[in-house]
């Protein structure tokens, strides 16, 4: 059944938007890069929603989603904030980027082996990436120390044991 591939196609669009965001960041088109991260978030929500509505979740889709999320909400936002706000990829900025991506990968791995569908343990990488990318919007430059502290805080929240509610079980009444 070809319709069962629709959620995975949305995941591929998520990945494409995240990769394009990285390219636009490198080219210094920061606003476009920011909107591509938001577009990736839209497709990330849509793929899970469609998989549940169409009753076609798969192990392939789950793994593909994690790989896409690491690019779209791990690498793309951290490079956007660092290159746009401070231009600092040397020293502290580069180290913070590496830590953010590693913590995002750890968070995704923990999610992939967890059984709970009513809550998340640790801040989801999608939320962390979108929050981080919102700090690229202001035109004034933030201090590198503030950016590194923000990246560090979001990294710690992703690997924390703090429970965050899952929106997967919310139902809409007709």
């Amino acid at each position: 059944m070809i319709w069962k591939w629709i959620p995975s196609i949305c995941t591929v669009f998520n990945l494409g938007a995240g990769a394009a965001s990285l390219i636009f960041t490198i080219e210094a088109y920061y606003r476009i890069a920011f909107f591509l991260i938001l577009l990736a978030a839209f497709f990330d929500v849509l793929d899970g929603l469609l998989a549940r509505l169409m009753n076609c979740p798969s192990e392939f889709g789950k793994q593909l989603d994690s790989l896409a999320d690491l690019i779209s909400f791990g690498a793309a936002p951290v490079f956007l904030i660092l290159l746009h706000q401070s231009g600092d990829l040397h020293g502290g900025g580069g180290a913070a980027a590496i830590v953010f991506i590693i913590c995002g990968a750890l968070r995704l791995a923990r999610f992939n082996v967890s059984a709970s569908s009513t809550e998340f343990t640790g801040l989801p990488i999608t939320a962390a990436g979108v929050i981080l990318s919102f700090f690229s919007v202001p035109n004034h430059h933030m201090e590198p120390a503030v950016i590194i502290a923000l990246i560090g805080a979001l990294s710690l929240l992703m690997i924390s044991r703090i429970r965050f509610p899952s929106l997967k079980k919310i139902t809409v009444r007709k």
Side-chain angles (χ1 to χ4, degrees):
M1 295 276 174
I2 197 126
W3 59 271
K4 289 188 175 192
W5 285 93
I6 293 173
S8 291
I9 291 169
C10 288
T11 303
V12 170
F13 286 150
N14 165 3
L15 177 58
S21 176
L22 279 168
I23 292 168
F24 278 102
T25 296
I26 292 166
E27 297 293 327
Y29 293 107
Y30 302 119
R31 294 258 186 234
I32 295 171
F34 168 72
F35 286 113
L36 284 166
I37 291 169
L38 295 181
L39 183 63
F42 169 76
F43 282 116
D44 187 46
V45 170
L46 189 61
D47 69 358
L49 179 65
L50 287 175
R52 287 186 299 279
L53 286 175
M54 298 168 72
N55 196 25
C56 60
S58 68
E59 192 60 31
F60 173 82
K62 187 177 185 180
Q63 300 306 321
L64 180 62
D65 185 64
S66 289
L67 294 170
D69 288 354
L70 192 57
I71 299 298
S72 298
F73 310 113
V78 79
F79 284 103
L80 173 61
I81 190 76
L82 286 174
L83 292 176
H84 181 237
Q85 285 296 335
S86 72
D88 179 23
L89 281 180
H90 309 292
I98 292 167
V99 168
F100 187 81
I101 293 168
I102 289 170
C103 289
L106 291 170
R107 168 65 183 80
L108 288 164
R110 180 170 57 193
F111 173 76
N112 284 351
V113 298
S114 75
S116 176
S117 63
T118 59
E119 61 186 5
F120 294 118
T121 301
L123 182 66
I125 191 173
T126 304
V130 169
I131 290 167
L132 189 60
S133 67
F134 267 108
F135 284 91
S136 74
V137 175
N139 286 329
H140 65 282
H141 286 284
M142 297 168 61
E143 290 295 320
V146 173
I147 295 169
I148 291 171
L150 174 65
I151 293 169
L154 289 169
S155 297
L156 289 174
L157 283 172
M158 282 192 287
I159 61 170
S160 74
R161 293 281 183 198
I162 298 172
R163 304 280 185 189
F164 290 87
S166 171
L167 304 177
K168 293 178 183 179
K169 294 298 180 182
I170 294 176
T171 58
V172 179
R173 292 178 49 197
K174 292 182 182 181

